[in-house]
Amino acid sequence: QVQLVESGGGVVQPGRSLRLSCAASGFTFSNYAIHWVRQAPGKGLEWVAIIPHDGNNIHYADSVKGRFTISRDNSKNTLYLQMNSLRAEDTAVYHCAKCLSGGGWSSFDLWGQGTMVTVSS
Amino acid sequence: DIVMTQSPLSLPVTPGEPASISCRSSQSLLHSSGYHFLDWYLQKPGQSPQLLIYFGSTRASGVPDRFSGSGSGTGFTLNISRVEAEDVGVYYCMQALHTPSFGQGTKVEIK
């Protein structure tokens, strides 16, 4: 079954860290770029980060640059998002999304169901 | 950064009738390949977004042919020829030419 399954969300205090995971199955994970996209409660979609198929040429949204780190382990078919120095405005459902291509920018043809991150004291 | 603007933000529709959503970008989405890097996504209630249209007018796999995309440069349109009850949700346009950015979303609901 072709799918992406996120995990690792939860409630965390401001300033603390959290690591999200995204497990892929049903396709050749190492061939495709993967993104993180988030959605604050009741709000629209916000792109967070991209990691191409080979892990090179990573990009981040300005809102998370310097605090979040995207990585992947192609041997485990898994994507990660290390989130440090969390802020209240990082509260959102975090989705991983597969690209149509291996690198660069392209459309998201497969989305995970998302994992909720709540930053609150 | 490329800013995406959708209209309307709310769209009451009647089943069987057509519907249309507009999306404008702050700069041209024409890539050197000749394709426009403009996508349309639908987020049904309680679900993750799903890809409907990419390259401005190419339907994604499994998308019914009542959905069509058109436009060029900075102006794009998603058309639904005959709305069905299952089409309710929030529609987003997204540019994939540079760091992705989404429109505000258009909420489609049945009258």
Side-chain angles (χ1 to χ4, degrees):
Chain A
Q1 185 178 3
V2 178
Q3 63 179 1
L4 296 168
V5 179
E6 302 92 336
S7 60
V11 180
V12 61
Q13 292 179 329
R16 303 298 290 265
S17 300
L18 205 60
R19 189 176 85 154
L20 306 182
S21 298
C22 168
S25 58
F27 64 96
T28 306
F29 180 73
S30 59
N31 285 354
Y32 298 95
I34 309 287
H35 297 250
W36 285 102
V37 178
R38 68 184 181 183
Q39 187 169 31
K43 302 296 184 180
L45 300 167
E46 179 189 13
W47 174 79
V48 174
I50 177 180
I51 184 166
H53 67 102
D54 58 3
N56 294 321
N57 203 23
I58 288 170
H59 293 273
Y60 299 95
D62 287 344
S63 57
V64 307
K65 199 173 296 182
R67 299 188 299 122
F68 289 12
T69 301
I70 188 173
S71 62
R72 65 192 295 161
D73 186 335
N74 286 341
S75 68
K76 295 182 178 179
N77 293 337
T78 303
L79 172 77
Y80 303 100
L81 186 67
Q82 177 67 41
M83 304 185 296
N84 298 331
S85 303
L86 283 161
R87 306 167 180 169
E89 55 264 36
D90 296 319
T91 295
V93 173
Y94 284 74
H95 299 274
C96 52
K98 169 187 167 291
C99 258
L100 281 175
S101 68
W105 309 115
S106 72
S107 313
F108 307 154
D109 65 340
L110 177 67
W111 295 65
Q113 87 289 348
T115 186
M116 183 71 203
V117 173
T118 303
V119 184
S120 173
S121 54
Chain B
D1 292 358
I2 300 176
V3 177
M4 306 298 291
T5 304
Q6 290 181 231
S7 63
L9 300 185
S10 178
L11 183 58
V13 296
T14 301
E17 295 295 308
S20 179
I21 300 171
S22 294
C23 176
R24 300 204 70 87
S25 56
S26 60
Q27 63 188 73
S28 175
L29 300 184
L30 179 62
H31 186 262
S32 56
S33 63
Y35 292 101
H36 287 87
F37 276 36
L38 185 282
D39 302 335
W40 290 98
Y41 297 88
L42 166 59
Q43 187 172 29
K44 295 183 178 181
Q47 297 186 18
S48 301
Q50 59 185 94
L51 179 64
L52 294 177
I53 302 286
Y54 61 98
F55 291 157
S57 61
T58 302
R59 270 190 304 276
S61 176
V63 174
D65 60 8
R66 64 180 180 274
F67 291 94
S68 64
S70 63
S72 63
T74 62
F76 301 88
T77 302
L78 175 70
N79 288 295
I80 310 174
S81 59
R82 294 174 304 279
V83 173
E84 297 189 4
E86 66 181 25
D87 298 337
V88 298
V90 181
Y91 290 77
Y92 295 93
C93 61
M94 186 197 88
Q95 65 80 16
L97 188 64
H98 301 299
T99 52
S101 51
F102 294 88
Q104 315 95 303
T106 296
K107 186 173 185 178
V108 171
E109 52 193 1
I110 301 296
K111 282 182 181 176

